[in-house]
Structures are given as C-alpha cells and as structure tokens.
Amino acid sequence: LPYADMPDGTALAESGAIGRVIAASAGLLGQGKDFMVSEQLAGMTADLIKKVFAICPTMLTVENFDDAKKTAYAEQRAGILEYLDKYKPMLLPAGDRFTESGLTYGEVDLFAKLNCCVTGCFPEIMEGPLGAFCKRMEEVPGIKKVLAGETQFGSLPDYLIPMP
C-alpha cells in the first residue's frame, strides 16, 4: 500500500496523490498546456500499466506465473505494444519529450513505468517511438542516480521481470 507521512503529520495513502504532492513541491506539475499534457499522460499510463500488470510477471507474482498466464501474455502482448502508439502523436517534434520542460509528473511517471516494462517483458520499447524519450529521461541526473543505484536506497530490484 503506498503510504507517505507529510511534514505536517498528515498521512497520505494513494500513489497518484503522493506522486502529485511530491511533484507539486518540486514544481513539476506543469502550467497550462504542460499541466494538461502531464495529466493526460498520467491517465494513459495508469491504463497502460494496468494492462501490463495483468499479463506480465512481477517480482511478487513470478512464482505463480503458470501456463495460463503465459498464454494470456502471448495473446495480449501485441495489444500493449499497439497501446504505446497512442503516445506518439503527443510527443513534441524532437520526439524526446511531451512538454517544454520534459520533466512533468506525467513524464516522470511514464518513464518510471516504461523502465519497468523495458527491464521486464517489453525490452523493445527502447527501439520504438518512445525510445528517444526513454533515453533522454535516463540521462536526467536524479533519474540516472536512481537507475545506477546511487541513492540512499542503493540498488533497487526490478519489479517487472522477463518471462520465466
């Protein structure tokens, strides 16, 4: 269960709310059109990851990933890759960002979820229409530090894992 204690002692228990509160405190919600795009990305990404989690093994579900689940993955995999095409028209002309800053809540959230997919069952995402976006995000200093395991939390395990 996502949970955070706020500085004033308030408990917050909802991942989207926690992410947006942190993004707001860092000035990453975006303004005007960037805010709108960020929120659209967040909604689309919530839908995407729900589809992914339904058919891909995670570090918590791999032990129970049976033949029926492998069949569902094989049958629904292409649909998830097609879903990713919905993001392409939203990219700015350079193809590596969706907003001017390139670092809104929706973009960071999308990258985090795509990175899970890339290390799991969808490595080809890096070669598709979102590859330039992912590669740029990997170079953002804070993100680069997390990916390299150089934060106070050390190296983080992959949540989504390749097919067993």
Side-chain angles (χ1 to χ4, degrees):
L1 172 67
Y3 176 87
D5 285 321
M6 297 293 105
D8 69 356
T10 303
L12 186 56
E14 202 289 310
S15 59
I18 293 167
R20 284 177 177 83
V21 166
I22 293 168
S25 72
L28 299 178
L29 288 179
Q31 299 285 324
K33 184 176 180 183
D34 283 356
F35 174 76
M36 177 195 73
V37 170
S38 175
E39 287 298 302
Q40 184 174 353
L41 288 172
M44 290 170 63
T45 302
D47 293 343
L48 168 67
I49 208 65
K50 184 177 180 182
K51 294 172 189 292
V52 170
F53 284 170
I55 66 163
C56 293
T58 70
M59 62 190 294
L60 303 175
T61 64
V62 68
E63 294 297 322
N64 298 318
F65 211 78
D66 58 19
D67 288 341
K69 291 178 182 176
K70 290 176 183 175
T71 299
Y73 169 77
E75 291 172 351
Q76 297 173 41
R77 185 178 202 290
I80 289 174
L81 293 171
E82 284 177 24
Y83 187 88
L84 293 173
D85 289 338
K86 293 181 178 190
Y87 291 94
K88 190 174 179 181
M90 296 176 63
L91 286 163
L92 293 181
D96 68 347
R97 67 191 64 227
F98 295 88
T99 66
E100 285 187 41
S101 76
L103 288 173
T104 61
Y105 168 75
E107 288 164 300
V108 173
D109 182 58
L110 172 60
F111 172 74
K113 304 295 185 346
L114 290 177
N115 185 65
C116 284
C117 292
V118 166
T119 60
C121 293
F122 295 95
E124 67 271 35
I125 288 172
M126 290 300 284
E127 305 309 318
L130 296 175
F133 166 74
C134 289
K135 288 173 184 150
R136 182 187 63 79
M137 293 295 284
E138 287 177 337
E139 296 303 317
V140 171
I143 293 171
K144 191 173 191 172
K145 205 171 171 181
V146 170
L147 294 175
E150 297 171 353
T151 71
Q152 65 183 353
F153 304 106
S155 183
L156 302 173
D158 292 334
Y159 185 70
L160 283 173
I161 59 172
M163 282 302 266

PDB file of all heavy atoms in Angstrom, residues 43-60:
ATOM      1  N   GLY A  43      -2.937   9.636 -16.825  1.00  0.00           N
ATOM      2  CA  GLY A  43      -4.119   8.789 -17.006  1.00  0.00           C
ATOM      3  C   GLY A  43      -3.868   7.654 -17.979  1.00  0.00           C
ATOM      4  O   GLY A  43      -4.219   6.495 -17.714  1.00  0.00           O
ATOM      5  N   MET A  44      -3.230   7.972 -19.100  1.00  0.00           N
ATOM      6  CA  MET A  44      -2.916   6.938 -20.089  1.00  0.00           C
ATOM      7  C   MET A  44      -1.969   5.896 -19.511  1.00  0.00           C
ATOM      8  O   MET A  44      -2.112   4.698 -19.760  1.00  0.00           O
ATOM      9  CB  MET A  44      -2.284   7.586 -21.337  1.00  0.00           C
ATOM     10  CG  MET A  44      -3.252   8.415 -22.153  1.00  0.00           C
ATOM     11  SD  MET A  44      -2.410   9.392 -23.445  1.00  0.00           S
ATOM     12  CE  MET A  44      -1.718   8.110 -24.478  1.00  0.00           C
ATOM     13  N   THR A  45      -1.007   6.362 -18.726  1.00  0.00           N
ATOM     14  CA  THR A  45      -0.018   5.452 -18.155  1.00  0.00           C
ATOM     15  C   THR A  45      -0.650   4.547 -17.103  1.00  0.00           C
ATOM     16  O   THR A  45      -0.285   3.369 -17.005  1.00  0.00           O
ATOM     17  CB  THR A  45       1.168   6.255 -17.594  1.00  0.00           C
ATOM     18  OG1 THR A  45       1.721   7.037 -18.671  1.00  0.00           O
ATOM     19  CG2 THR A  45       2.238   5.351 -17.023  1.00  0.00           C
ATOM     20  N   ALA A  46      -1.607   5.059 -16.344  1.00  0.00           N
ATOM     21  CA  ALA A  46      -2.325   4.211 -15.387  1.00  0.00           C
ATOM     22  C   ALA A  46      -3.049   3.086 -16.124  1.00  0.00           C
ATOM     23  O   ALA A  46      -3.030   1.928 -15.685  1.00  0.00           O
ATOM     24  CB  ALA A  46      -3.308   5.045 -14.566  1.00  0.00           C
ATOM     25  N   ASP A  47      -3.654   3.421 -17.264  1.00  0.00           N
ATOM     26  CA  ASP A  47      -4.330   2.397 -18.075  1.00  0.00           C
ATOM     27  C   ASP A  47      -3.327   1.396 -18.634  1.00  0.00           C
ATOM     28  O   ASP A  47      -3.554   0.186 -18.621  1.00  0.00           O
ATOM     29  CB  ASP A  47      -5.105   3.039 -19.225  1.00  0.00           C
ATOM     30  CG  ASP A  47      -6.284   3.883 -18.756  1.00  0.00           C
ATOM     31  OD1 ASP A  47      -6.707   3.736 -17.586  1.00  0.00           O
ATOM     32  OD2 ASP A  47      -6.778   4.697 -19.560  1.00  0.00           O
ATOM     33  N   LEU A  48      -2.202   1.905 -19.128  1.00  0.00           N
ATOM     34  CA  LEU A  48      -1.158   1.042 -19.689  1.00  0.00           C
ATOM     35  C   LEU A  48      -0.646   0.051 -18.662  1.00  0.00           C
ATOM     36  O   LEU A  48      -0.591  -1.155 -18.914  1.00  0.00           O
ATOM     37  CB  LEU A  48       0.006   1.885 -20.215  1.00  0.00           C
ATOM     38  CG  LEU A  48       1.288   1.123 -20.570  1.00  0.00           C
ATOM     39  CD1 LEU A  48       1.062   0.219 -21.776  1.00  0.00           C
ATOM     40  CD2 LEU A  48       2.434   2.093 -20.807  1.00  0.00           C
ATOM     41  N   ILE A  49      -0.281   0.543 -17.497  1.00  0.00           N
ATOM     42  CA  ILE A  49       0.365  -0.336 -16.530  1.00  0.00           C
ATOM     43  C   ILE A  49      -0.623  -1.354 -15.971  1.00  0.00           C
ATOM     44  O   ILE A  49      -0.232  -2.470 -15.615  1.00  0.00           O
ATOM     45  CB  ILE A  49       1.103   0.474 -15.436  1.00  0.00           C
ATOM     46  CG1 ILE A  49       2.287  -0.319 -14.888  1.00  0.00           C
ATOM     47  CG2 ILE A  49       0.176   0.944 -14.355  1.00  0.00           C
ATOM     48  CD1 ILE A  49       3.385  -0.598 -15.867  1.00  0.00           C
ATOM     49  N   LYS A  50      -1.887  -1.017 -15.949  1.00  0.00           N
ATOM     50  CA  LYS A  50      -2.905  -1.992 -15.530  1.00  0.00           C
ATOM     51  C   LYS A  50      -2.924  -3.165 -16.512  1.00  0.00           C
ATOM     52  O   LYS A  50      -2.983  -4.325 -16.109  1.00  0.00           O
ATOM     53  CB  LYS A  50      -4.279  -1.327 -15.458  1.00  0.00           C
ATOM     54  CG  LYS A  50      -5.369  -2.227 -14.953  1.00  0.00           C
ATOM     55  CD  LYS A  50      -6.687  -1.484 -14.828  1.00  0.00           C
ATOM     56  CE  LYS A  50      -7.763  -2.425 -14.325  1.00  0.00           C
ATOM     57  NZ  LYS A  50      -9.060  -1.774 -14.222  1.00  0.00           N
ATOM     58  N   LYS A  51      -2.837  -2.852 -17.797  1.00  0.00           N
ATOM     59  CA  LYS A  51      -2.798  -3.906 -18.823  1.00  0.00           C
ATOM     60  C   LYS A  51      -1.524  -4.749 -18.691  1.00  0.00           C
ATOM     61  O   LYS A  51      -1.556  -5.965 -18.802  1.00  0.00           O
ATOM     62  CB  LYS A  51      -2.844  -3.279 -20.225  1.00  0.00           C
ATOM     63  CG  LYS A  51      -4.129  -2.572 -20.582  1.00  0.00           C
ATOM     64  CD  LYS A  51      -3.970  -1.835 -21.915  1.00  0.00           C
ATOM     65  CE  LYS A  51      -5.103  -0.924 -22.258  1.00  0.00           C
ATOM     66  NZ  LYS A  51      -6.342  -1.587 -22.559  1.00  0.00           N
ATOM     67  N   VAL A  52      -0.402  -4.081 -18.452  1.00  0.00           N
ATOM     68  CA  VAL A  52       0.884  -4.779 -18.328  1.00  0.00           C
ATOM     69  C   VAL A  52       0.879  -5.700 -17.115  1.00  0.00           C
ATOM     70  O   VAL A  52       1.256  -6.870 -17.211  1.00  0.00           O
ATOM     71  CB  VAL A  52       2.049  -3.765 -18.256  1.00  0.00           C
ATOM     72  CG1 VAL A  52       3.355  -4.457 -17.876  1.00  0.00           C
ATOM     73  CG2 VAL A  52       2.205  -3.036 -19.592  1.00  0.00           C
ATOM     74  N   PHE A  53       0.452  -5.181 -15.971  1.00  0.00           N
ATOM     75  CA  PHE A  53       0.447  -5.988 -14.750  1.00  0.00           C
ATOM     76  C   PHE A  53      -0.473  -7.197 -14.866  1.00  0.00           C
ATOM     77  O   PHE A  53      -0.252  -8.201 -14.198  1.00  0.00           O
ATOM     78  CB  PHE A  53       0.042  -5.152 -13.540  1.00  0.00           C
ATOM     79  CG  PHE A  53       1.116  -4.220 -13.032  1.00  0.00           C
ATOM     80  CD1 PHE A  53       0.810  -3.269 -12.087  1.00  0.00           C
ATOM     81  CD2 PHE A  53       2.424  -4.281 -13.495  1.00  0.00           C
ATOM     82  CE1 PHE A  53       1.786  -2.409 -11.595  1.00  0.00           C
ATOM     83  CE2 PHE A  53       3.398  -3.424 -13.024  1.00  0.00           C
ATOM     84  CZ  PHE A  53       3.074  -2.486 -12.062  1.00  0.00           C
ATOM     85  N   ALA A  54      -1.473  -7.106 -15.719  1.00  0.00           N
ATOM     86  CA  ALA A  54      -2.409  -8.230 -15.883  1.00  0.00           C
ATOM     87  C   ALA A  54      -1.767  -9.423 -16.587  1.00  0.00           C
ATOM     88  O   ALA A  54      -2.213 -10.552 -16.419  1.00  0.00           O
ATOM     89  CB  ALA A  54      -3.649  -7.772 -16.646  1.00  0.00           C
ATOM     90  N   ILE A  55      -0.699  -9.173 -17.372  1.00  0.00           N
ATOM     91  CA  ILE A  55      -0.143 -10.279 -18.170  1.00  0.00           C
ATOM     92  C   ILE A  55       1.350 -10.537 -17.971  1.00  0.00           C
ATOM     93  O   ILE A  55       1.877 -11.488 -18.531  1.00  0.00           O
ATOM     94  CB  ILE A  55      -0.409 -10.068 -19.679  1.00  0.00           C
ATOM     95  CG1 ILE A  55       0.347  -8.868 -20.223  1.00  0.00           C
ATOM     96  CG2 ILE A  55      -1.901  -9.987 -19.959  1.00  0.00           C
ATOM     97  CD1 ILE A  55       0.463  -8.826 -21.727  1.00  0.00           C
ATOM     98  N   CYS A  56       2.026  -9.702 -17.187  1.00  0.00           N
ATOM     99  CA  CYS A  56       3.475  -9.854 -17.027  1.00  0.00           C
ATOM    100  C   CYS A  56       3.839 -10.256 -15.602  1.00  0.00           C
ATOM    101  O   CYS A  56       3.207  -9.812 -14.651  1.00  0.00           O
ATOM    102  CB  CYS A  56       4.173  -8.549 -17.381  1.00  0.00           C
ATOM    103  SG  CYS A  56       4.053  -8.120 -19.122  1.00  0.00           S
ATOM    104  N   PRO A  57       4.880 -11.059 -15.468  1.00  0.00           N
ATOM    105  CA  PRO A  57       5.311 -11.437 -14.121  1.00  0.00           C
ATOM    106  C   PRO A  57       6.009 -10.284 -13.407  1.00  0.00           C
ATOM    107  O   PRO A  57       6.712  -9.484 -14.023  1.00  0.00           O
ATOM    108  CB  PRO A  57       6.293 -12.582 -14.385  1.00  0.00           C
ATOM    109  CG  PRO A  57       6.808 -12.337 -15.760  1.00  0.00           C
ATOM    110  CD  PRO A  57       5.685 -11.683 -16.513  1.00  0.00           C
ATOM    111  N   THR A  58       5.778 -10.215 -12.114  1.00  0.00           N
ATOM    112  CA  THR A  58       6.466  -9.250 -11.269  1.00  0.00           C
ATOM    113  C   THR A  58       7.310 -10.021 -10.264  1.00  0.00           C
ATOM    114  O   THR A  58       7.171 -11.242 -10.134  1.00  0.00           O
ATOM    115  CB  THR A  58       5.482  -8.351 -10.501  1.00  0.00           C
ATOM    116  OG1 THR A  58       4.822  -9.136  -9.497  1.00  0.00           O
ATOM    117  CG2 THR A  58       4.455  -7.713 -11.424  1.00  0.00           C
ATOM    118  N   MET A  59       8.126  -9.307  -9.534  1.00  0.00           N
ATOM    119  CA  MET A  59       8.939  -9.963  -8.516  1.00  0.00           C
ATOM    120  C   MET A  59       8.069 -10.648  -7.462  1.00  0.00           C
ATOM    121  O   MET A  59       8.515 -11.571  -6.805  1.00  0.00           O
ATOM    122  CB  MET A  59       9.882  -8.955  -7.855  1.00  0.00           C
ATOM    123  CG  MET A  59       9.160  -7.837  -7.138  1.00  0.00           C
ATOM    124  SD  MET A  59      10.215  -6.480  -6.575  1.00  0.00           S
ATOM    125  CE  MET A  59      11.212  -7.268  -5.355  1.00  0.00           C
ATOM    126  N   LEU A  60       6.799 -10.228  -7.352  1.00  0.00           N
ATOM    127  CA  LEU A  60       5.890 -10.804  -6.369  1.00  0.00           C
ATOM    128  C   LEU A  60       5.023 -11.928  -6.927  1.00  0.00           C
ATOM    129  O   LEU A  60       4.470 -12.713  -6.165  1.00  0.00           O
ATOM    130  CB  LEU A  60       4.983  -9.712  -5.784  1.00  0.00           C
ATOM    131  CG  LEU A  60       5.699  -8.537  -5.130  1.00  0.00           C
ATOM    132  CD1 LEU A  60       4.706  -7.465  -4.713  1.00  0.00           C
ATOM    133  CD2 LEU A  60       6.532  -8.996  -3.954  1.00  0.00           C
TER     134      LEU A  60
END
